[in-house]
Amino acid sequence: MAALQTTPELLAPSRWRTVELISDLHLQASDSATFDVWQRYMASTVADAVFILGDLFEVWVGDDVLYQPSNLPNNPSAALPFEARCQRVLSAATRRMSVYFMPGNRDFLVGNAFVRACSMMLLADPTCLLFDQQRWLLSHGDALCLADTDYQQFRLQVRNPAWQQEFLARPLAERQAIARSLRDQSESRKASGASYADVDDAAARDWLRTTGASTLIHGHTHQPADHLLDGSQTAPWRRLVLSDWDAKAYPPRLQVLRLQTGQSPQRVDLASGPSPTR
């Protein structure tokens, strides 16, 4: 069971009227279409706050990627690295609104240096958001996929501070090669048609019961849906699953979950328009 100890709480300022949540964009230099949509979204949203619940990046091997030679001020003619372009987008966004980042299973090595460079705020997984007189439990979601025992063992290993310190001490090129190998393994598994474990509903109910939240919002599974969970004695518990992003898919997957004061959550398709959740 993915038991909780102490869950941090974030009290939304009273002036907030709109909160938007995204996850699993898997941004990478080879997918300019998805990056372009994300860049326009971050520049145009009128939300008071955007919450990025993990896997913003396809891979992240350390904050020092920002300081590759092509990103240094004395080399202005070189192309800006992809990670630095993302940092510029986030920095521009945080001058207009609050942006919160929660690491996922692909970008758990995003560190304080990158977060500070973007002026974002780092979120623990999970975090309870108090907004619009409700308690919303936010998570990337991977810790709740209990049936995937191999992944849970891997997650336990790579979230260990000692493992991370040892990995980040390796040369950047070596870390990038390891990341490519792991990504190739993941793509091979997808191509083979292997199924992936979903969130364990019993564990989700336990998290909601422990935190006193009414709704769990998460990503990771790439299975956007709205689930009602039995067990609450006062009101139905819900599990809202965020969509992944892929501008090149047919139809494109470019969805935002919007919370507005006094309204039901809405799923906003950036390729068409908003539709209320069930």
Side-chain angles (χ1 to χ4, degrees):
M1 177 65 69
L4 294 182
Q5 300 299 321
T6 301
T7 303
E9 294 185 350
L10 173 62
L11 177 61
S14 58
R15 61 179 174 79
W16 283 9
R17 293 293 178 268
T18 303
V19 167
E20 293 180 342
L21 304 102
I22 57 177
S23 73
D24 300 279
L25 282 75
H26 294 267
L27 297 177
Q28 52 190 312
S30 61
D31 183 0
S32 60
T34 301
F35 172 84
D36 289 344
V37 175
W38 172 71
Q39 180 175 229
R40 290 195 297 271
Y41 162 71
M42 295 299 291
S44 62
T45 179
V46 296
D48 299 292
V50 170
F51 287 77
I52 304 170
L53 300 188
D55 286 5
L56 175 63
F57 300 104
E58 171 68 6
V59 65
W60 192 268
V61 296
D63 291 356
D64 54 338
V65 295
L66 291 175
Y67 307 109
Q68 298 176 73
S70 58
N71 191 33
L72 298 179
N74 60 0
N75 192 14
S77 62
L80 199 64
F82 178 74
E83 295 84 359
R85 292 171 58 201
C86 294
Q87 184 259 317
R88 286 191 172 185
V89 172
L90 291 164
S91 295
T94 55
R95 288 194 287 270
R96 301 187 304 106
M97 62 187 176
S98 299
V99 179
Y100 293 83
F101 175 78
M102 177 183 290
N105 59 293
R106 296 296 187 105
D107 49 19
F108 60 87
L109 286 174
V110 166
N112 289 326
F114 180 73
V115 170
R116 284 195 300 266
C118 301
S119 298
M120 293 191 298
M121 284 159 279
L122 193 63
L123 283 181
D125 187 355
T127 290
C128 195
L129 170 66
L130 283 64
F131 172 70
D132 193 27
Q133 302 180 12
Q134 294 189 56
R135 297 173 66 87
W136 309 85
L137 188 60
L138 311 182
S139 175
H140 179 58
D142 58 324
L144 289 166
C145 295
L146 303 183
D148 191 347
T149 54
D150 289 342
Y151 170 72
Q152 292 302 327
Q153 292 176 358
F154 172 78
R155 186 181 191 277
L156 185 64
Q157 176 190 36
V158 300
R159 296 303 179 102
N160 184 298
W163 183 94
Q164 293 186 5
Q165 184 177 9
E166 188 277 331
F167 181 80
L168 291 172
R170 300 184 183 194
L172 177 60
E174 181 181 348
R175 282 178 272 142
Q176 290 172 326
I178 293 172
R180 284 193 297 271
S181 175
L182 291 174
R183 186 168 53 193
D184 289 345
Q185 292 176 33
S186 176
E187 291 302 318
S188 296
R189 183 179 177 186
K190 289 179 186 178
S192 70
S195 59
Y196 287 82
D198 199 357
V199 160
D200 185 278
D201 277 348
R205 288 193 295 269
D206 183 63
W207 277 25
L208 290 167
R209 182 184 302 108
T210 300
T211 59
S214 58
T215 303
L216 169 65
I217 301 176
H218 71 86
H220 179 64
T221 64
H222 298 196
Q223 300 175 29
D226 311 330
H227 303 274
L228 288 179
L229 304 175
D230 296 330
S232 174
Q233 297 180 358
T234 57
W237 284 327
R238 293 187 300 171
R239 179 165 70 88
L240 305 184
V241 188
L242 302 174
S243 172
D244 63 318
W245 281 35
D246 187 347
K248 296 182 293 185
Y250 186 79
R253 299 192 300 275
L254 301 165
Q255 193 179 86
V256 175
L257 182 67
R258 178 179 294 162
L259 308 180
Q260 289 183 293
T261 54
Q263 299 186 30
S264 298
Q266 285 186 313
R267 294 186 184 272
V268 180
D269 186 342
L270 298 182
S272 57
S275 59
T277 60
R278 295 191 298 274

